[in-house]
C-alpha cells in the first residue's frame, strides 16, 4: 500500500499528547509526517516541525495557513490530527472536514452538544472520517473484553463500574500552576473540569465494551480544593439503553492512585476487570470458579485482540501502541481496506452530551437526566 501523508495541529514540543500521536501514526509505516502547525507560537511550531523531518514549506506557523496551503497541493495530507487545547477542536475540525480532509480529533471533541452535532452532520455529509482519540478502546485486551461481552460469555450484564481517578492535582497550592489552572477555568475548559477531561474516557470505555450506550445519568460534582470553580471529583451513576447499571468515579485529588483508569464488568455468569496500568491482563471470574488471568498474546484470544497485539506475550505493550492501533485502522479505512472499530464523531458527541447532562444533574442535586444528544433521542 502506498504511504499516506499525515499532518498534525498542536502536539508541539513539550506537549503531553504530541509524542503518542507521532509514535502511533508512524509505528506501522503507513503514514509519513508531511505537514504540521504544531505550536501556539508560530516560530516554535515551524522550527520543531522541521526538526521532526517536515519539509520547510510544510512546517506551518498556524493551522489556517496550513489549511490554505494543503488544500491545493496535489500531494495534500490524507489525514490531519487535531491535538490542540479543547476550545479549538471544533473550529479546526470543522474547517478541515469542510475542505475534504479526514480528521482525527482529540477528546473532548467539542465544548458544546450543538457543536458536536454539527461535526457529526458534517462528517456524514462530506463522507470524511472524523475519528476521536479514545485510544484506550484500542488496547488488545479491551477488544477482548468487548468480544467476550458480545459473545454472551458473561451472560446478561448487570453492572459496570469504571474509574478514572488520579491524584495529580491534589496539591492545593498548585492552583496557580499554568498546566493545572486552565483545567478548572470555565473560560478555557468549558462547563466541566475532570468529567470532561478524564471521566469521558471511562464512560466511553464502558459503553464501548458493553456495546450499549448511556441513556440517563445522575451526578454529584465536588470542587474539593478551595478556589477551584469546576469539579475535581465526580461520582456519576448511569443506566444504559438496555438497563445495565453503571457507576463512574473520576477524580484528580485521589492521592495513591496514579493513572487510575480501570473498569469492571459484572455479568450473570462472569465478571471481567481491566486496568490501564496493567493493560496486558484481564481478570476473569466465572461464577463458581476461581479468578483467572488472561494475558495478551496467549492462545485462544479473539482475532481482533491478536491483530492489535504488536509485541510478544508478556512484553509491555503501552499507550503509544494503542494509539498506533487507532492510526492503523485509520490508514486501512482511508485505503478502503478492512478495518476494526474506530472511535467516531458520534462517540465524541455522546461524550459531550453526557458531560453536559452530568453538569445539569449535579446542579439539580443529582436529579436523573437524559444523557443522550438530542439527535440520538
Ligand atoms: P498541552 O498543553 O500539553 O499541549 C498543547 C499543544 O498544542 C502545545 O504544543 C501548544 O503550543 C499547542 N497549541 C495550542 N494552541 C495551538 C494552536 N492554535 N495551533 C497549533 N498548536 C497549538 O496539551 P495536551 O495535554 O497535549 O492536550 C492536548 C489535547 O489532547 C487536549 O484536548 C487534551 O484533552 C487531549 N489529550 C488527550 C489524551 C488522550 O488520551 N486521548 C491525553 C492527553 C491529552
Amino acid at each position: 500500500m502506498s504511504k499516506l501523508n499525515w499532518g498534525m495541529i498542536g502536539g508541539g514540543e513539550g506537549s503531553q499528547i504530541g509524542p503518542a500521536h507521532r509514535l502511533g501514526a508512524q509505528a506501522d509505516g503507513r503514514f509519513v509526517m508531511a505537514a504540521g502547525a504544531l505550536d501556539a507560537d508560530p516560530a516554535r511550531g515551524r522550527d520543531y516541525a522541521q526538526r521532526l523531518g517536515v519539509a520547510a514549506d510544510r512546517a506551518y506557523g498556524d493551522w489556517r495557513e496550513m489549511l490554505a496551503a494543503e488544500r491545493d497541493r496535489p500531494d495534500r495530507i490524507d489525514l490531519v490530527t487535531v491535538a490542540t487545547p479543547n476550545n479549538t477542536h471544533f473550529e479546526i475540525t470543522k474547517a478541515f472536514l469542510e475542505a475534504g480532509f479526514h480528521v482525527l480529533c482529540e477528546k473532548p471533541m467539542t465544548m458544546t452538544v450543538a457543536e458536536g452535532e454539527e461535526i457529526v452532520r458534517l462528517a456524514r455529509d462530506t463522507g470524511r472520517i472524523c475519528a476521536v482519540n479514545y485510544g484506550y478502546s484500542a488496547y488488545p485486551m479491551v477488544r477482548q473484553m468487548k468480544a467476550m461481552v458480545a459473545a454472551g460469555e458473561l451472560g446478561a450484564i448487570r453492572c459496570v463500574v469504571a474509574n478514572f481517578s488520579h491524584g495529580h492535582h491534589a496539591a492545593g497550592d498548585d492552583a496557580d500552576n499554568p498546566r493545572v489552572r486552565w483545567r478548572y477555568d470555565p473560560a478555557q475548559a468549558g462547563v466541566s473540569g475532570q468529567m470532561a477531561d478524564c471521566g469521558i474516557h471511562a464512560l466511553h470505555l464502558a459503553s464501548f465494551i458493553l456495546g450499549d450506550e448511556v441513556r440517563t445519568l445522575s451526578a454529584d460534582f465536588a470542587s474539593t480544593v478551595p478556589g477551584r470553580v469546576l469539579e475535581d471529583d465526580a461520582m456519576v451513576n448511569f443506566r444504559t439503553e438496555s438497563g445495565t447499571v453503571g457507576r463512574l468515579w473520576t477524580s484528580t485529588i485521589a492521592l495513591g492512585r496514579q493513572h487510575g483508569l480501570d473498569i469492571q464488568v459484572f455479568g450473570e455468569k462472569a465478571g471481567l476487570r481491566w486496568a490501564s496500568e496493567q493493560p496486558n491482563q484481564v481478570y476473569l471470574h466465572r461464577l463458581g470458579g476461581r479468578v483467572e488471568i488472561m494475558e495478551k498474546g496467549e492462545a485462544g484470544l479473539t482475532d481482533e485482540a491478536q491483530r492489535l497485539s504488536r509485541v510478544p506475550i508478556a512484553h509491555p505493550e503501552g499507550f503509544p501502541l494503542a494509539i498506533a492501533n487507532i492510526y492503523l485502522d485509520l490508514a486501512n479505512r482511508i485505503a478502503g481496506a478492512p478495518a476494526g472499530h474506530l472511535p467516531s464523531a458520534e462517540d465524541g458527541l455522546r461524550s459531550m452530551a453526557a458531560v453536559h447532562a452530568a453538569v445539569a444533574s449535579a446542579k439539580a442535586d443529582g436529579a436523573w437526566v437524559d444523557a443522550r444528544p438530542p439527535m440520538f433521542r
Side-chain angles (χ1 to χ4, degrees):
M1 281 185 204
S2 61
K3 293 207 178 211
L4 298 166
N5 286 324
W6 174 60
M8 187 173 193
I9 300 170
E13 193 162 28
S15 67
Q16 192 188 348
I17 199 65
H21 281 285
R22 284 186 285 277
L23 290 166
Q26 298 173 103
D28 292 289
R30 299 283 295 278
F31 289 103
V32 175
M33 187 170 175
L38 303 183
D39 205 288
D41 176 329
R44 269 174 55 93
R46 282 194 198 99
D47 173 63
Y48 189 47
Q50 288 175 73
R51 281 189 279 127
L52 290 170
V54 174
D57 64 332
R58 297 178 90 176
Y60 300 103
D62 75 76
W63 67 267
R64 287 187 179 83
E65 185 194 327
M66 176 165 157
L67 177 62
E70 288 295 319
R71 182 188 263 145
D72 299 326
R73 289 184 72 104
D75 60 347
R76 70 186 220 159
I77 50 170
D78 298 286
L79 171 74
V80 66
T81 292
V82 181
T84 49
N86 304 356
N87 55 0
T88 59
H89 293 175
F90 171 68
E91 186 183 24
I92 302 174
T93 298
K94 180 172 184 280
F96 276 79
L97 285 174
E98 281 172 342
F101 293 95
H102 300 298
V103 179
L104 172 62
C105 181
E106 261 307 341
K107 49 52 59 178
M109 182 174 80
T110 57
M111 301 285 271
T112 70
V113 181
E115 288 170 352
E117 293 199 333
E118 196 172 335
I119 294 295
V120 166
R121 285 200 193 92
L122 198 52
R124 290 177 180 175
D125 291 349
T126 57
R128 300 293 87 185
I129 299 167
C130 181
V132 177
N133 191 31
Y134 288 115
Y136 302 106
S137 67
Y139 272 107
M141 294 310 276
V142 169
R143 298 290 167 99
Q144 176 69 23
M145 290 170 81
K146 181 177 177 62
M148 290 175 73
V149 170
E153 290 193 40
L154 279 66
I157 305 300
R158 291 170 168 159
C159 181
V160 59
V161 178
N163 302 298
F164 198 157
S165 298
H166 62 76
H168 298 296
H169 303 163
D173 59 4
D174 213 16
D176 283 331
N177 175 340
R179 292 199 67 131
V180 174
R181 193 176 48 215
W182 74 265
R183 295 173 192 274
Y184 303 100
D185 173 5
Q188 294 179 78
V191 294
S192 161
Q194 174 64 356
M195 184 63 195
D197 198 26
C198 292
I200 59 173
H201 275 298
L203 202 64
H204 177 263
L205 264 192
S207 52
F208 177 74
I209 290 170
L210 299 187
D212 194 5
E213 300 295 346
V214 177
R215 185 184 175 94
T216 56
L217 61 75
S218 158
D220 177 21
F221 278 18
S223 304
T224 66
V225 171
R228 276 186 190 157
V229 178
L230 298 175
E231 86 287 355
D232 56 17
D233 189 283
M235 187 65 83
V236 179
N237 282 306
F238 59 95
R239 297 288 184 277
T240 67
E241 293 285 2
S242 70
T244 295
V245 174
R247 320 264 185 221
L248 184 153
W249 173 47
T250 188
S251 183
T252 69
I253 50 93
L255 282 174
R257 291 178 66 99
Q258 285 293 345
H259 189 241
L261 173 63
D262 55 59
I263 183 161
Q264 288 185 270
V265 183
F266 304 106
E268 285 174 340
K269 297 194 290 192
L272 295 173
R273 177 180 190 278
W274 179 86
S276 69
E277 291 172 35
Q278 289 88 33
N280 283 0
Q281 286 101 31
V282 167
Y283 287 69
L284 165 66
H285 189 190
R286 293 189 203 278
L287 187 67
R290 287 196 168 136
V291 175
E292 297 168 38
I293 300 175
M294 302 167 64
E295 184 80 22
K296 182 199 69 71
E298 72 186 15
L301 300 182
T302 62
D303 290 349
E304 182 68 350
Q306 301 293 16
R307 180 179 76 94
L308 299 181
S309 169
R310 311 303 193 84
V311 291
I313 188 166
H315 286 69
E317 190 162 82
F319 189 61
L321 283 182
I323 305 295
N325 289 334
I326 299 280
Y327 279 96
L328 177 67
D329 279 335
L330 276 165
N332 286 334
R333 190 76 69 82
I334 292 169
H341 181 91
L342 270 180
S344 63
E346 281 82 352
D347 295 318
L349 166 60
R350 285 186 190 279
S351 298
M352 286 329 293
V355 165
H356 282 263
V359 171
S361 169
K363 283 186 180 153
D365 281 339
W368 283 83
V369 295
D370 198 323
R372 298 166 300 175
M375 75 187 284
F376 294 160
R377 286 182 192 168

